[in-house]
Amino acid sequence: MTSTSTDQSLEDGRPQYIPKLPERPAVDTVSAQFFGRPAGVDGSFLPDSANGASGERGYTLAPPDPVLREAFSRPEGAPESLQRDPHAPDVEQRQEDPRQDDPWRDPAAVVRLGEAAYPAPAPEGPTAGHRLGAREVLFGDKVSPVALGALGLVALLVGAVGGLIGALAGKTHEYLVDDSHPDIKLAGSPPVPNADAVQKVAAAVAPAVVTIESVYTQGSDKVKETGSGAIITKDGYIVTNNHVVESAAVAENNATLEVVFSDARRIPAKIVGRDPKSDLAVVKVEATIDKTLEFVDPKDVHIGEEVVAFGAPYGLAKTVTSGIVSALHRAIVMPSKDSPDDASASSVIDAVQTDAAINHGNSGGPLVDLNGKIVGINTMIFSPNDNGSIGLGFAIPSNDAKDEMNHLIHEGFVEHPVIGLSARPVVNQQGSGVSVSDVKPGGPADHAGIKPNDVIVQIGDRPVTSLDEFLVGVRKMPLGKATTVKVLRGEGQNKPVELQVTPDSDKQK
């Protein structure tokens, strides 16, 4: 790379740029020793004088490798360094016409190919022979004519047996598709289990199932929400979910609440009471009631039992779906819409799980057994990304729904047990449970001797393996009665301790 300079100027005053000589970088001693010219040498090659004695040259030539000498040296007796083309002109012809010495200079020169290094083998032509028979073509000379005849006979027998089997199979197919043969029973699709029973239950229960419509004002818009309900008494009490009517319960919404019966009657309804912690509510209508539903004894509910869900999913009234009881005592906690971070305000349910299809709008409708008795009140589904039912529906069990409904009808509210502590889930070598974070001074847990860092692993007969199980376990504790609570404490939480806890009411002042 070169640089420019403006040391000179033209006559008109403009600067004149002249090149600078390139700067030669300095060469260190080590590089000069390895890459520089030998001492006394000025050119790129050694002078002829260096071909003298080794002392004069300063170096010694090693003898050539014998293998390389044999491979690359001039053949013995060869006057030239390279082998000449045997078809090329001889020396006298080359001297007379130099173009023949170099075909590249002769535009009339033709391409010449020398002889191959190895002579090509002479092609071998087919030899004449005798004609081959079928036996020789198929089997060569290994099968005799007698054996070939026996093999043909066996093939005929196999074909005959195959034809007979095909004829019998065709006849059997005719029997299978012909209804004139009473001895043949077609399997077909398996019948729906107890299809007749489900039909009878649907016909008997449908008149006691209603659609609940809540219309209220939100800003400048009218909003309509629908849910379902089950008629419980002849004087018009209907049980449903709290989240079905909670918007209508807000005075500022100026809501109207109507109940639509199976015979299409629309009757205004009023809220008798509701309990957000159990997601249960009771509404009442003034109407003539012909059909009511009863609650089943929870002892008669079993996993695998067939159940039928009623309601109005997405506003589609008189919808009936069937399934089974998939699980019992499933701990379900639904955060409050108004206070999602407050666990004490969450809906806590000791739920019945079912695979009967439940969707939005089924909420508040009954889940009944094949006797038409209420197993639970549909309340929620597990639906990732809100994609509708995937066979995981949950219902408030009959005993809880019945007890809380009676409290709402007669008292207008429901009391729930509290023990005065906060906890968080924990898993250690002893198992899983909830670790006590804080204990309310003077509360039931404090009186019972529960301490911070205790790990609660059981409440009554219910194992505590998660925070949801803990919340449901506390909710199921009877008010005013002592319940055994098992905790682990000590170093490593390896010392089990059983304590008697008597819960307070959340309505206690």
Side-chain angles (χ1 to χ4, degrees):
M1 178 182 292
T2 62
S3 59
T4 59
S5 173
T6 59
D7 295 338
Q8 297 182 11
S9 301
L10 299 176
E11 294 180 356
D12 58 0
R14 291 179 298 168
Q16 180 181 11
Y17 294 91
I18 60 174
K20 274 188 176 181
L21 294 177
E23 296 181 0
R24 181 171 297 175
V27 181
D28 60 277
T29 307
V30 177
S31 298
Q33 179 180 358
F34 280 95
F35 300 104
R37 293 190 181 93
V41 177
D42 296 330
S44 301
F45 300 94
L46 289 176
D48 293 339
S49 60
N51 295 327
S54 61
E56 297 176 357
R57 293 195 304 264
Y59 58 88
T60 304
L61 296 176
D65 183 92
V67 176
L68 296 178
R69 168 180 286 179
E70 180 180 357
F72 296 101
S73 61
R74 182 182 304 168
E76 294 184 3
E80 299 183 24
S81 299
L82 299 177
Q83 182 181 3
R84 299 292 301 178
D85 183 354
H87 300 285
D90 54 18
V91 177
E92 296 180 356
Q93 292 175 337
R94 292 199 305 271
Q95 291 177 350
E96 295 177 358
D97 187 358
R99 292 182 302 173
Q100 297 186 18
D101 187 36
D102 186 359
W104 290 100
R105 297 181 180 180
D106 185 5
V110 295
V111 177
R112 296 193 300 267
L113 295 177
E115 296 180 356
Y118 294 93
E124 296 182 1
T127 58
H130 68 284
R131 294 180 178 274
L132 299 178
R135 179 174 64 88
E136 293 174 310
V137 171
L138 295 176
F139 307 104
D141 295 331
K142 298 180 180 179
V143 180
S144 65
V146 176
L148 183 60
L151 184 61
L153 181 60
V154 171
L156 291 175
L157 291 176
V158 171
V161 172
L164 180 61
I165 293 175
L168 293 176
K171 191 67 174 177
T172 303
H173 178 266
E174 292 179 3
Y175 283 127
L176 289 176
V177 299
D178 189 355
D179 294 337
S180 62
H181 297 276
D183 295 334
I184 303 297
K185 302 297 182 183
L186 300 181
S189 300
V192 178
N194 291 324
D196 293 339
V198 173
Q199 293 175 6
K200 293 178 181 179
V201 170
V205 173
V209 179
V210 298
T211 301
I212 300 176
E213 294 183 355
S214 172
V215 180
Y216 59 92
T217 302
Q218 191 173 61
S220 59
D221 300 327
K222 286 286 187 180
V223 180
K224 178 181 177 180
E225 294 181 348
T226 61
S228 304
I231 304 174
I232 303 301
T233 66
K234 290 283 188 178
D235 52 352
Y237 285 103
I238 299 171
V239 64
T240 185
N241 287 140
N242 171 69
H243 71 263
V244 172
V245 299
E246 64 179 340
S247 296
V250 179
E252 292 80 3
N253 287 341
N254 298 318
T256 60
L257 196 65
E258 284 189 327
V259 170
V260 184
F261 288 80
S262 61
D263 58 5
R265 286 182 297 163
R266 286 180 170 269
I267 300 177
K270 66 177 182 178
I271 299 174
V272 176
R274 61 190 187 92
D275 180 43
K277 291 185 178 180
S278 61
D279 195 29
L280 205 72
V282 175
V283 300
K284 190 176 186 304
V285 294
E286 300 296 335
T288 301
I289 305 297
D290 297 325
K291 175 66 178 177
T292 62
L293 298 179
E294 298 179 2
F295 290 96
V296 72
D297 189 329
K299 296 179 182 178
D300 296 330
V301 180
H302 306 284
I303 295 176
E305 178 182 350
E306 289 186 73
V307 288
V308 182
F310 290 80
Y314 299 102
L316 302 174
K318 303 180 183 180
T319 297
V320 177
T321 58
S322 64
I324 63 169
V325 174
S326 306
L328 296 171
H329 304 293
R330 181 73 73 197
I332 299 297
V333 177
M334 296 184 295
S336 169
K337 184 171 66 174
D338 298 327
S339 304
D341 298 328
D342 185 4
S344 63
S346 300
S347 298
V348 178
I349 303 170
D350 186 26
V352 176
Q353 180 179 320
T354 179
D355 67 349
I358 297 175
N359 289 285
H360 299 292
N362 275 111
S363 295
L367 181 72
V368 305
D369 61 13
L370 295 185
N371 294 318
K373 293 186 177 182
I374 297 177
V375 173
I377 300 298
N378 303 326
T379 187
M380 72 165 291
I381 61 173
F382 178 74
S383 178
N385 302 320
D386 199 22
N387 289 328
S389 175
I390 60 171
L392 291 174
F394 305 96
I396 302 170
S398 60
N399 55 329
D400 291 347
K402 182 179 180 180
D403 292 343
E404 292 171 6
M405 181 198 71
N406 287 329
H407 281 292
L408 291 174
I409 291 175
H410 296 102
E411 300 167 9
F413 63 89
V414 179
E415 293 184 89
H416 296 288
V418 293
I419 61 176
L421 62 79
S422 60
R424 56 183 176 82
V426 65
V427 178
N428 55 29
Q429 294 179 351
Q430 306 303 321
S432 57
V434 294
S435 176
V436 177
S437 302
D438 298 298
V439 178
K440 180 182 178 181
D446 187 26
H447 289 155
I450 295 178
K451 303 176 181 179
N453 298 322
D454 283 351
V455 176
I456 300 175
V457 294
Q458 187 170 330
I459 299 177
D461 296 331
R462 189 183 194 100
V464 175
T465 57
S466 65
L467 187 59
D468 289 355
E469 291 284 357
F470 167 72
L471 294 173
V472 173
V474 172
R475 188 63 55 85
K476 298 294 290 183
M477 296 174 71
L479 284 170
K481 295 183 180 180
T483 300
T484 301
V485 177
K486 183 177 180 181
V487 304
L488 301 177
R489 64 171 47 155
E491 185 176 356
Q493 283 84 32
N494 54 9
K495 180 182 178 182
V497 178
E498 291 187 353
L499 303 170
Q500 300 299 312
V501 181
T502 303
D504 288 338
S505 169
D506 60 348
K507 298 296 189 293
Q508 183 176 347
K509 295 182 180 180

